[in-house]
Amino acid sequence: MALSRRRFLSLSAGTLAAAAAAKLAFTRSASAARPTIDPGTDGRIVSSICEVCFWKCGIDAHVQGDRLIKITGNPRHPLSNGRLCPRGAAGVGLGYDPDRLVKPLMRVGARGRDEFRPVSWDEALGFVANKLDEIRKKYGPEAVALFNHGAGASWFKHLLSAYGTANFGAPSFAQCRGPRDVAFDLTFGAEPGSPEVLDIGSSDCLVLIGSHLGENMHNTQVQDFAEAVARGADIIVVDPRFSTAASKAKTWMPIRPGTDTALLLAWIHVIVGEQRYNRAYVEKYVSGLEELAKAVAPYSPEWASAETGLDATLIRGTARRIAGAAPASLVHPGRHATWYGPDDTHRSRAIAILNALLGSWGHRGGFFRPSGMKLAKFPTPPYPKARPPADRLEGEAPFALEPLAQGLRRATIDGKPYPIKGWFVYGTNLIQALPQRAETLKAIQALDLMVVVDVLPAEIAGYADVVLPEASYLERYDDLVGISWRRSGVALRQPAMPPPGEAKAGWWIARELGLRLGLESFFPWKDAESYLRERCKLSGVDWDTLVRDGVVLAPEKPTVVEDGLALSIGTESGKIEVYSEKLAKAGFAPVPVYERPDAAPPGYFRLLYGRAPGHTFGRTTNNRLLGELSHHDRVWINAKVAADLGLADGAWVRLINQDGVQSAPVQIRATERIRGDCVYMVHGWGHTAKGLRYAKGRGADDSELVSRVKVDPVMGGTGMRVNFVTLQPAAREA
Ligand code: SF4
């Protein structure tokens, strides 16, 4: 049954289970923001944490008996402020997804045929433990790798650290935020954080470079963005596409894709050359200004104009506007930064350097500096010493902060520097999350053991030897989650409803495997609740308050200089390093350099991809509540270009990339809101897994078209916007 927007809103307002809701009355108490329940009903509110994206907002799950009625924002949690994005509110749709994994499964037939038989937990866990034991004896424990996403992975990291491996690869590093984190670490000695510690609400000038807030729906960041818009902040959006953020901006700069670093260098050129930087701040905190000035001298706005396709006067004028608002002037660091490979760390370094020149790091309207909250660990024996991860060969990507997921894949294929024979895949659909799919499939076929722990049968589950059905974030405890935000603290994920069928919490699965592997000393707790209670006790956090409120906040501390923060810089030199000795010593350019992107072959368009507000990539596309509301599976193409190709808005096409890889048929969106040299699509559609009965066959999958990457030699990120597609008219498939 299709859901209209009005009907969905009405559902999320509490009529999802109308009959049940009739008996239930959730109200707000007058004295506190905490919702209360009418006495005499069996309704209750469980305060927990959303896991639909990494923002980890506080949620209030409204429950009657065992039934989850609706989810609202926890008003006590600083990362939600009582509000949620549509995906968080629609978490009910995941809880009751009829396609959930509900029984352990073991493969029958060839790997990858997506054919399984249901088995007992005992059989599944016994099989996995035996195989892990075999691999440990034959190759050593380091021959097992974990690919992971999400907070629940901590149980499996603990299990596999105790087992003896350090091969933990999260695609969220080398396929997403890695270049940015490395660049900020090199410059400020600290990363921008996750969630990013941006004081957008107080910014007088905000620059977004390919970072489309509003479509990229990070709850409090979007709330802050709305505040900045309402305050009349000077918003400058740099994007080949007229994004939602661009529609709120004073200036949209439709840049030629791949030339962002040229623009950034020209902005630095103007700000340094015209001495518009924050002089007092730079004198106090920054080192390397002279070298920077020398390096950017050639990069005039006129030079950048030829590269970017932007007007030189606009480049100069925006540089002056950005500098004029300092220090409440913020160049957003973005999040997904693996675009062009060799250019990526340099581009993110240029963003970091601009912020240094503005003095926004540590100032109101810039980057605030949270104090965090210290949480004690649960006492367990030290982990055995593990071999260094197998993701890199000697000398490769020296500044990587985390193991490279694609490097672990390579080690699985070629056995260098040592073999990887077992994969644990937790909460990430590697088929869509990793580029160069053929390599992923090759690696999977080389394994002795492949285990998938997940809540839904995405494509990756079809390749597993064993599929272990996990309770969703609405049905389980996870480890404590520290909040590093304007107000720091600790938050609790706790079950609000029972898991379906035989699905089990991750902590239970990890512990059961640990016991079977003889690792009981690492699991001296009987269940997650006793583990969490002990951690709270050791950390001085009141358990009952945490359970009741979902969050316990630390005492308020200043997070910006204006409020009394004593700003310290975390680099070894204690200075913000706009010229990086570390990079120079390792043979890399110490000041950002620009590399012109490859031109598209004739008749091809650069493939760009991004997000939609109603979805977190492939994680939500099977959620009926969200899917009926927002498809976002059309390919954007410039209207004039589409007309020249004889394609009307809504026409069906296949995308074919430079290597001949073809997408499923997909409709075009012919629009003036995108340049003519690129096309754009939302990542996460085009599922083929037969178990995703709702998402299967909807839209096209951008990731299968990413058959090429360019690797960032500084930190090993895979630049993925280096693929080109052409469009071929197609019939709509039934
Ligand atoms: S931003 Fe949305 S999806 Fe992400 S954690 Fe918050 S409510 Fe959940």
Side-chain angles (χ1 to χ4, degrees):
M1 178 184 64
L3 293 173
S4 67
R5 174 176 291 268
R6 175 179 297 190
R7 178 162 154 68
F8 171 73
L9 292 174
S10 118
L11 289 178
S12 60
T15 54
L16 192 66
K23 280 170 62 189
L24 191 66
F26 295 105
T27 56
R28 301 266 163 197
S29 85
S31 57
R34 183 173 175 74
T36 56
I37 310 290
D38 262 359
T41 75
D42 61 350
R44 65 201 161 95
I45 288 180
V46 180
S47 295
S48 187
I49 308 169
C50 184
E51 180 77 20
V52 184
C53 86
F54 71 92
W55 207 258
K56 295 189 178 57
C57 297
I59 55 173
D60 280 345
H62 300 238
V63 179
Q64 187 176 32
D66 276 347
R67 184 89 189 156
L68 176 64
I69 306 297
K70 66 172 179 176
I71 303 172
T72 56
N74 180 346
R76 301 163 299 284
H77 196 297
L79 285 169
S80 48
N81 294 329
R83 285 177 251 171
L84 297 179
C85 83
R87 300 164 302 165
V92 180
L94 171 68
Y96 295 115
D97 191 320
D99 298 336
R100 289 279 301 273
L101 289 163
V102 293
K103 267 191 95 61
L105 303 171
M106 284 187 59
R107 172 167 68 85
V108 292
R111 185 179 280 156
R113 288 178 60 98
D114 202 357
E115 288 169 2
F116 297 92
R117 68 184 168 92
V119 295
S120 67
W121 272 103
D122 197 46
E123 184 178 349
L125 294 171
F127 177 87
V128 174
N130 279 341
K131 278 282 180 190
L132 285 173
D133 202 38
E134 270 173 41
I135 292 173
R136 179 165 57 181
K137 285 179 183 140
K138 198 163 166 191
Y139 302 99
E142 65 275 10
V144 173
L146 170 70
F147 295 86
N148 61 282
H149 187 93
S154 67
W155 308 108
F156 295 92
K157 283 186 187 162
H158 175 64
L159 168 73
L160 293 172
S161 297
Y163 171 82
T165 182
N167 284 313
F168 304 150
S172 58
F173 180 73
Q175 282 67 52
C176 190
R177 62 188 156 74
R180 177 201 78 166
D181 288 357
V182 169
F184 272 69
D185 190 50
L186 284 165
T187 312
F188 294 102
E191 298 163 27
S194 181
E196 291 80 16
V197 287
L198 307 175
D199 193 20
I200 290 174
S202 304
S203 298
D204 292 331
C205 179
L206 172 67
V207 181
L208 300 172
I209 301 176
S211 169
H212 36 269
L213 292 187
E215 287 157 306
N216 202 351
M217 206 38 128
H218 299 146
N219 190 356
T220 28
Q221 189 167 184
V222 177
Q223 292 180 28
D224 288 352
F225 181 59
E227 204 176 311
V229 172
R231 285 178 46 247
D234 184 1
I235 297 171
I236 298 167
V237 170
V238 180
D239 202 314
R241 190 174 62 91
F242 189 75
S243 60
T244 301
S247 72
K248 313 290 176 212
K250 287 197 180 150
T251 304
W252 172 45
M253 301 175 78
I255 194 167
R256 182 174 295 139
T259 64
D260 312 78
T261 308
L263 171 65
L264 290 159
L265 289 172
W267 276 343
I268 296 172
H269 169 101
V270 173
I271 291 171
V272 172
E274 296 182 2
Q275 304 213 348
R276 290 175 185 269
Y277 54 87
N278 185 333
R279 186 177 290 272
Y281 184 93
V282 168
E283 276 170 10
K284 189 166 177 190
Y285 295 109
V286 172
S287 70
L289 183 68
E290 222 171 281
E291 291 91 337
L292 176 72
K294 222 180 280 169
V296 297
Y299 301 132
S300 66
E302 287 69 25
W303 165 82
S305 174
E307 295 296 324
T308 60
L310 300 168
D311 184 78
T313 314
L314 178 65
I315 296 173
R316 190 169 275 106
T318 45
R320 291 172 181 165
R321 278 159 57 190
I322 294 165
S329 185
L330 178 55
V331 185
H332 195 296
R335 187 167 179 91
H336 176 76
T338 44
W339 296 354
Y340 299 100
D343 184 58
D344 291 338
T345 301
H346 288 306
R347 186 185 64 253
S348 289
R349 274 263 299 152
I351 290 173
I353 288 168
L354 265 173
N355 282 298
L357 295 172
L358 300 170
S360 65
W361 186 262
H363 274 279
R364 179 164 292 135
F367 293 75
F368 60 88
R369 309 299 306 132
S371 54
M373 183 171 173
K374 279 213 162 57
L375 295 169
K377 290 203 160 97
F378 191 102
T380 52
Y383 295 134
K385 191 166 167 37
R387 275 182 84 170
D391 63 310
R392 283 175 281 165
L393 301 175
E394 206 180 329
E396 249 183 324
F399 291 94
L401 296 167
E402 298 176 25
L404 312 173
Q406 87 279 8
L408 295 176
R409 179 181 68 184
R410 182 189 60 189
T412 309
I413 295 170
D414 64 17
K416 292 177 190 157
Y418 56 81
I420 299 281
K421 290 291 177 182
W423 281 14
F424 254 81
V425 183
Y426 178 87
T428 174
N429 183 13
L430 287 187
I431 301 298
Q432 286 193 333
L434 290 180
Q436 299 176 293
R437 184 165 304 168
E439 296 291 290
T440 307
L441 300 182
K442 199 163 149 191
I444 289 172
Q445 295 304 342
L447 291 168
D448 288 357
L449 173 67
M450 164 102 167
V451 183
V452 166
V453 183
D454 219 325
V455 295
L456 282 168
E459 285 74 16
I460 191 66
Y463 290 88
D465 300 326
V466 183
V467 180
L468 303 177
E470 202 198 13
S472 79
Y473 70 95
L474 297 164
E475 301 146 4
R476 65 178 196 239
Y477 284 109
D478 270 330
D479 208 342
L480 297 177
V481 173
I483 304 167
S484 278
W485 193 242
R486 292 189 190 93
R487 191 80 191 270
S488 293
V490 58
L492 177 69
R493 170 164 298 136
Q494 55 185 329
M497 59 189 273
E502 296 174 27
K504 295 280 190 187
W507 65 262
W508 182 90
I509 302 171
R511 185 172 184 276
E512 287 294 317
L513 282 171
L515 300 185
R516 283 169 171 77
L517 286 163
L519 301 171
E520 51 277 349
S521 62
F522 292 91
F523 296 91
W525 33 273
K526 95 174 164 355
D527 55 25
E529 188 178 331
S530 57
Y531 166 93
L532 292 164
R533 276 178 180 273
E534 183 63 15
R535 273 200 80 186
C536 281
K537 195 169 113 196
L538 296 171
S539 308
V541 173
D542 184 65
W543 170 254
D544 293 336
T545 307
L546 188 60
V547 169
R548 188 194 65 208
D549 291 348
V551 63
V552 169
L553 298 179
E556 222 160 335
K557 288 195 180 153
T559 58
V560 291
V561 168
E562 290 85 343
D563 290 341
L565 170 78
L567 181 63
S568 68
I569 306 300
T571 56
E572 275 165 34
S573 65
K575 294 279 186 186
I576 301 170
E577 298 181 8
V578 298
Y579 175 95
S580 172
E581 294 282 359
K582 272 191 181 172
L583 283 173
K585 271 191 200 139
F588 297 110
V591 171
V593 289
Y594 165 66
E595 185 167 318
R596 184 177 296 151
D598 293 337
Y604 281 76
F605 306 91
R606 189 176 293 278
L607 175 64
L608 304 179
Y609 51 83
R611 280 193 165 209
H615 289 283
T616 305
F617 303 150
R619 288 188 125 194
T620 51
T621 44
N622 206 59
N623 184 324
R624 275 99 171 139
L625 295 180
L626 289 170
E628 291 292 348
L629 267 181
S630 111
H631 281 231
H632 292 287
D633 49 0
R634 289 192 177 197
V635 176
W636 293 38
I637 182 167
N638 177 273
K640 180 168 180 325
V641 171
D644 290 348
L645 292 171
L647 295 169
D649 185 39
W652 287 83
V653 297
R654 280 183 195 273
L655 305 179
I656 305 171
N657 83 354
Q658 71 284 327
D659 297 321
V661 179
Q662 288 196 16
S663 76
V666 60
Q667 281 179 287
I668 66 160
R669 175 180 179 180
T671 171
E672 297 295 338
R673 291 175 55 179
I674 188 166
R675 286 174 57 100
D677 51 5
C678 50
V679 296
Y680 170 84
M681 58 200 294
V682 171
H683 175 64
W685 294 93
H687 283 285
T688 54
K690 64 184 181 194
L692 298 179
R693 288 174 296 171
Y694 181 78
K696 183 171 179 277
R698 286 176 189 255
D701 174 9
D702 62 302
S703 66
E704 71 179 328
L705 298 165
V706 181
S707 55
R708 289 189 192 182
V709 299
K710 279 196 171 186
V711 175
D712 184 336
V714 177
M715 51 61 66
T718 53
M720 295 181 279
R721 294 188 178 172
V722 298
N723 290 271
F724 301 96
V725 293
T726 188
L727 281 66
Q728 192 179 75
R732 180 182 184 169
E733 281 187 350

